[in-house]
Amino acid sequence: MFKKKPQIKNLSPLRSSDRRGLADQIIRDYGIPVPPQESLEPPSDSQDEPAKPQTTLSSLRNLLLPESTSSARFITTFGPDSALVSGTVYVGAHRGEDDRVLWIQYEKNTKLVPTVYTLWNNPNIVPLLHTPDFVAEQRLRQGADLMIPGLIKSKGTRWDPRAKKGSVVAVSSMRRSTVPLWVGTCEIDVCNLGDDLRGQKGIAVKGLHWEGDEIWNWSALGNGGKSAPEHLDGWTGLTGTLEGAVYNMTLDDSDENGQEDGGVALDGNAAGAPSEEEEEREPTTKEVDEAFHEAFLYSLHKAKQSNKAPHYGFDFPIQPSFLIANMIQPHLRVQSQQYAIKKTSWKNAKKFIKQLDKEKLLKSKDRNGGETVIVDMDFDDHQVTRFTPYKLPTPKAVSKAGNEGNGGDSSSDPSLGQKIAIKTVYRVSSKLVPTLLPSKTEFYTAQQVFSALKEYIDKNPELGGQGASSIKLDPFIANNILGSNLFPEDSKVIAAGRIQKGALQRRVLEDSHLCQPFHVIERNQSASEQKPKAGPAPQVHITIEKRTGTKVVTKIANLEPFFINPQQLAPELQKKCAGAASVAPLTGGKPGLLEIVVQGDQRKVLIGDVLAKRGIDVKWVDVVDKTKAKKK
């Protein structure tokens, strides 16, 4: 639910009586054992009341809702339709810890839902289910629901009888089987499931909150979320032999609903495909290293399945850029800007190749100029022969036109031959409404703004009349249009009492506080798929820079707004430029944006040929040459 950052309003301290009432409600809703000789009635003021039992109940309440608990309303979006969800968060601090969101109440549900921080301090208050590590770390943390085949348990044990439809449950991974990492509500009676879950389909648990989401990340001090511990006492972990579900689940076969037998829904609607605005969890260096190593093994395994010996379709020597772009990136478990060579412990492709050479997975050779290339690979190494393929993430479509090609065939590139037009429109401020234009929510072209201004002048002959090159200032023009601190020359104009018509027109459009610019990129004379986006029109960015020594490369970025898929363009550039072309996540860009790096200064090929064929006018291209010496 909290993949996007929720809007949390000002916190208000809970009254002691309200806090005790909420704590008692939690105890009843979750069936938490009450200390002996205790009840959930308000404490008595009688002098004869035993002190020790009352203190015990008080300490239980404090564990669930600390004395410092505050509450606040929140608003967020949830589900494939981004529906608005509102509710209340309860914030408090356990002993020695910072203030965190401890409980969540959303929509009309009166039952409070615990966060992982509450579960880490209150063992066994909800059922704890288990799932394989790769499901917990890579799927559930992306907002997917937990499917029935993704559930696992120890052999000879029973499902927790509390795990019934509608109940709140926690989920942990195999590695940290005593640590709740994910919270959701049961869609079925999990307690009635058998031992063998193979072949069963459907959602077992609907996700609400997890370690790594925006509620976990919230902190009163703004210092981010707290990582989960490695082990917690009081929770029942996995013991003994696991049922066959974890070993027999396959991620290559999908059911008719697009849901994986591996235990999670990978379909965008069921799992909630991440948006560009959403922030991604930053993996550890070890996780990125393992992902790169597995991707290399996957590429060799796939090549053996599809091609013939001895080289299985590879042409040696292999350049480092080819290794990253064609062997590693397409086979990474996670397609994210966080999984880049710079995020590994090797930092660059050369050291990565040296590591694979040390493992005897390949042979490398250093060339003149410091470049390291791959001259051979061991396709019969035990790591390759024993490699088990995993489900690769579905590539993100660049546009609704689709990406049907395999990335290497430019003839299937839908951007070839397209016609692009960029239209700039404006939203006007309340200063111009309704005197010039009727609405501040509608979009107007520059011509419509000019026409409205001309009509205003024509209706007021005292300003200078029709045909006059300059006009007199009236209160509306002087106060509502001129006088901005951003335009120092306005003071001179006001002092003179007149302004040229053309200067007035330009002044209205140049002031973003009067006319906020938006843009629409039309493709093949159709803009029906796009809504105006705030800001000036985007540009394709071409950067020429030097790498090691005298090596020059060309970087191309921001192609996606113009319906160009970098993965499909890179092979074409590699042929046209007679050099390696690699594709990687754009450094510092939004998730999903890619950057192409091609050897040499290729601006002429790009502007005069490649981009021109895709409808990109030279005025929409920004070229930065970093190879030139800076002027002193």
Side-chain angles (χ1 to χ4, degrees), residues 563-603:
F563 313 98
I564 301 174
N565 186 347
Q567 295 281 15
Q568 289 184 313
L569 181 59
E572 180 182 341
L573 287 178
Q574 187 165 331
K575 293 179 181 178
K576 285 184 177 292
C577 303
S582 61
V583 182
L586 177 61
T587 304
K590 291 183 178 180
L593 292 182
L594 301 176
E595 176 183 64
I596 304 175
V597 179
V598 61
Q599 294 179 359
D601 184 347
Q602 307 295 346
R603 71 183 93 180

Side-chain angles (χ1 to χ4, degrees), residues 102-371:
L102 302 179
W103 296 88
I104 306 161
Q105 178 273 322
Y106 64 98
E107 294 297 273
K108 297 181 180 180
N109 299 308
T110 57
K111 189 173 184 178
L112 276 64
V113 177
T115 67
V116 290
Y117 295 116
T118 294
L119 298 180
W120 295 344
N121 287 276
N122 295 273
N124 205 37
I125 64 172
V126 298
L128 182 62
L129 306 177
H130 299 87
T131 195
D133 293 338
F134 70 90
V135 175
E137 295 295 328
Q138 298 181 23
R139 300 307 186 197
L140 298 187
R141 293 187 68 131
Q142 294 179 3
D145 297 322
L146 180 60
M147 311 303 289
I148 295 176
L151 293 167
I152 57 174
K153 67 180 180 68
S154 302
K155 191 172 184 179
T157 63
R158 294 182 178 181
W159 302 104
D160 193 312
R162 297 175 294 170
K164 297 180 180 180
K165 185 175 181 179
S167 63
V168 177
V169 298
V171 178
S172 69
S173 64
M174 292 172 58
R175 183 172 64 86
R176 290 186 287 184
S177 64
T178 61
V179 182
L181 301 174
W182 192 83
V183 182
T185 55
C186 288
E187 293 289 295
I188 60 170
D189 289 334
V190 174
C191 58
N192 293 334
L193 292 174
D195 291 337
D196 190 359
L197 305 181
R198 288 172 293 180
Q200 298 194 43
K201 300 174 182 178
I203 299 175
V205 185
K206 194 84 173 174
L208 296 174
H209 155 69
W210 57 90
E211 182 207 19
D213 70 2
E214 289 296 340
I215 283 292
W216 167 88
N217 190 58
W218 187 93
S219 167
L221 301 177
N223 55 358
K226 176 186 175 183
S227 299
E230 291 297 316
H231 177 81
L232 286 173
D233 293 329
W235 290 98
T236 303
L238 292 170
T239 57
T241 304
L242 297 176
E243 286 296 339
V246 64
Y247 300 109
N248 289 288
M249 65 171 56
T250 62
L251 291 184
D252 291 327
D253 300 324
S254 302
D255 65 21
E256 65 273 12
N257 296 320
Q259 295 169 345
E260 305 296 327
D261 286 341
V264 291
L266 300 182
D267 176 77
N269 291 331
S275 72
E276 294 182 354
E277 298 176 355
E278 295 172 355
E279 300 178 355
E280 296 179 316
R281 179 185 74 90
E282 185 172 356
T284 64
T285 303
K286 183 180 178 181
E287 289 175 330
V288 182
D289 285 354
E290 291 175 350
F292 267 64
H293 193 274
E294 289 179 343
F296 178 77
L297 296 177
Y298 200 138
S299 65
L300 267 60
H301 169 84
K302 186 176 179 181
K304 287 189 67 175
Q305 301 295 320
S306 308
N307 300 279
K308 296 181 180 180
H311 300 307
Y312 298 101
F314 288 104
D315 294 325
F316 295 100
I318 294 176
Q319 305 285 339
S321 56
F322 181 89
L323 168 70
I324 300 299
N326 298 81
M327 299 176 65
I328 302 301
Q329 287 291 344
H331 300 102
L332 288 172
R333 285 183 181 270
V334 181
Q335 296 295 333
S336 163
Q337 62 178 354
Q338 303 292 350
Y339 286 77
I341 189 66
K342 292 182 179 179
K343 299 285 186 178
T344 65
S345 60
W346 308 293
K347 303 301 181 185
N348 57 58
K350 180 177 181 178
K351 291 183 180 179
F352 179 45
I353 292 174
K354 293 292 186 182
Q355 173 63 31
L356 296 175
D357 194 334
K358 188 183 296 186
E359 296 181 30
K360 297 183 179 181
L361 283 167
L362 57 77
K363 290 183 180 179
S364 63
K365 180 179 180 181
D366 294 335
R367 286 183 167 179
N368 294 335
E371 185 181 43

